[in-house]
Amino acid sequence: MLDQQMGLLVDRQLPEATTLTPAGERILTAASTLFYEQGIRTVGVDTIASVADVTKKTLYDRFGSKDRLIAAYLERRNLVWHAFLDEQLAARAPTTPEEVILALFDALTDWLAGSRNGCGFINASVELAAPDHPAMPVIVGQKQWMRSEFEAQARLAGMADPGELADRLLLLHEGALVSYRVAAMERAPQVAARAAADLLAGWPRV
């Protein structure tokens, strides 16, 4: 009997992709590229409107404010990230919870391939200091989901103290993202994946 493929366990609570007008889609596409490549604070609405070939009025009509546009950029990025994870799991076909965890680490290598700017959520959290910024729930939610998924998989695998294990796995995962960007450590995802495998192999079970 073939092993059954495992999947993600925690409800991702992802909203359906917002249907935008053609102008709205151009604005969000332009903003997403500019925010990620140049930074949120350094890119103004004039630049976004120019690249999207719209007026500033159209930008504000569609999104209300730059802050709401930032939130929309991260919401779209989160949807893309989760679609990517689904593709990765389908390709890797993990059959145990441990393999799911390691697949989430391995996915970082492909996600960061060709990118020099690392994690858009971490970058945004550095630039957006205000805790009440409309984008902060998206950023925090994305990271909290990751930890919750690690914990759920660890619990299913019968690991002792799955919460502590999830904390350590998240630190490895996010540390890889930071090291890739800040320390120019191109192999950070692979190093983190090996460290996660060692951690899982030595972790006590219930």
Side-chain angles (χ1 to χ4, degrees), residues 11-155:
D11 183 3
R12 289 177 272 185
Q13 299 180 340
L14 297 174
E16 292 187 8
T18 303
T19 301
L20 298 172
T21 64
E25 190 62 45
R26 291 201 308 274
I27 293 166
L28 183 54
T29 298
S32 296
T33 299
L34 291 166
F35 287 155
Y36 183 70
E37 293 184 352
Q38 299 182 23
I40 288 171
R41 290 305 183 194
T42 60
V43 175
V45 293
D46 289 299
T47 299
I48 296 169
S50 176
V51 172
D53 193 25
V54 299
T55 64
K56 285 174 59 176
K57 180 180 185 303
T58 298
L59 186 151
Y60 286 119
D61 285 345
R62 297 299 185 276
F63 293 95
S65 66
K66 181 183 175 183
D67 286 343
R68 280 304 313 160
L69 180 55
I70 294 167
Y73 147 63
L74 292 172
E75 288 165 356
R76 174 69 63 85
R77 192 170 184 84
N78 196 34
L79 289 173
V80 172
W81 164 245
H82 280 281
F84 176 80
L85 288 183
D86 290 340
E87 293 171 359
Q88 289 282 309
L89 289 174
R92 298 175 189 279
T95 59
T96 67
E98 295 93 329
E99 289 180 358
V100 173
I101 290 172
L102 294 178
L104 293 174
F105 276 87
D106 289 338
L108 282 182
T109 299
D110 291 341
W111 178 256
L112 294 174
S115 166
R116 59 185 172 79
N117 290 334
C119 177
F121 299 96
I122 293 175
N123 298 345
S125 72
V126 173
E127 293 195 75
L128 305 176
D132 60 346
H133 191 282
M136 288 307 296
V138 186
I139 298 169
V140 173
Q142 194 265 349
K143 302 305 179 185
Q144 288 181 336
W145 174 83
M146 204 78 205
R147 186 204 170 279
S148 296
E149 185 63 33
F150 285 144
E151 182 173 2
Q153 296 291 345
R155 181 172 286 106

Side-chain angles (χ1 to χ4, degrees), residues 1-7 92-99:
M1 181 177 179
L2 294 175
D3 291 328
Q4 183 177 2
Q5 181 176 334
M6 301 288 295
R92 298 175 189 279
T95 59
T96 67
E98 295 93 329
E99 289 180 358

Side-chain angles (χ1 to χ4, degrees), residues 180-202:
Y180 180 87
R181 169 74 189 277
V182 178
M185 187 176 171
E186 292 185 1
R187 294 189 58 79
Q190 293 94 324
V191 173
R194 292 196 297 271
D198 291 343
L199 182 61
L200 290 172

